[in-house]
Amino acid sequence: MSVSRDPAAGALAGLRVVDASTLFAGPMAAMHLGDLGASVVKVEHPTKPDPSRTHGAAKDGVNLWWKTLGRNKRTVTANLGSDGGREVFLALAERSDVVIENFRPGTLERWGLGYEELSARNPRLVLARVSGFGQTGPYRTRPGFGTLAEAMSGFAAMTGEPDGPPTLPPFGLADGVASLATAFAIMTALSARERTGRGQVVDTAIVEPILAMLGPQITRWDQLGTVQARTGNRSSNNAPRNTYRTSDGHWVAVSTSAQSIAERVMRLVGRPELVDEPWFARGVDRARHADELDEAVGGWISRRTRDEVVAAFEEAQAAVAPVYDARDIVADPQFRALGTIHEIEDPELGPMLMQGPLFRLSENDGVIGFTGRPHGADTDEVLGELGFSAERVAELREAGAV
């Protein structure tokens, strides 16, 4: 288990980011950058905080999701539709490297805060624009939530049981994938800036990154005229591949993407004769015999506890994983060895566990300096750093601009 360290030691220390986005894809991209040491300022409306502050579970009235999503971000309020809020935002953009926003296309321009205005103040600025369907096209002004992307990307159509409805994930999958794509795009634009000296606009449509992760569905339709059907936990590419229940009521997942693993599994469960069947030599052919293979593997697993199954598969060098929930993840020795779970001291709730950055670096590793801050907690401090006097901040607050 890891503990928080000084964010100034992170690989992106010195990078200045303004997070003016809400809900998940944009804020999560900013979180990834902050985890690696970037200085992130979260901008929220004075009376309408980021809705993610009210999503999910809470403890003693304190939202828990925000503690993760808002980590490593100082929080500032500004009404960007007001003259004073525009003044604050322009001052922030002038001294920053990156601005992340997810307003409907055209909104920043309506407020006089489009890239033309921002880059006039700061030609090196990278503006990352995250929306459901991108900055152009007939759907550009539609509300853009991850659920819509999961539906329109093909994900829902290929997920679920064969005789069941299309299935959506129980979490923000498309937003999470889009956050990774946005962070990657920002770093790409910053790399280009090293050569050109100029910033540019990043246009992330939430529907596109998840589509890119779903394999060759477009090419298959183009070349064969077929679409991937729903197969539940099974795969159309190999078998056995499923989740199976153990004798003590747990579940394990088995994968046989490699031919050698498939052979080891069948020998382990006492059905070596199946390996000699002509159809067993190719994954797609094994998938056509999934009923027979699942019966063999599932029957063997059902007579053993989870620990017995995992130990036997490991000894046979076959691929198995227990199906975990949060309780198992926190207790697992591999996650402990990796330092996946970080313990952070939160001012409101005390010691708090959360998942850490996405990867490790041998130098300048990712850090969690602090958990999500209260709404507007750092407004006075940040505006003071930008040169606003205490009197001017008071005027802006009186006018409802901050």
Side-chain angles (χ1 to χ4, degrees), residues 337-355:
L338 292 172
T340 304
I341 309 303
H342 289 231
E343 183 176 87
I344 314 298
E345 185 68 28
D346 179 74
E348 295 177 283
L349 299 176
M352 175 179 294
L353 299 183
M354 64 178 63
Q355 64 272 32

Side-chain angles (χ1 to χ4, degrees), residues 243-262:
T243 57
Y244 307 92
R245 191 165 190 168
T246 62
S247 64
D248 54 350
H250 294 289
W251 292 85
V252 295
V254 173
S255 175
T256 58
S257 296
Q259 179 67 23
S260 60
I261 298 294

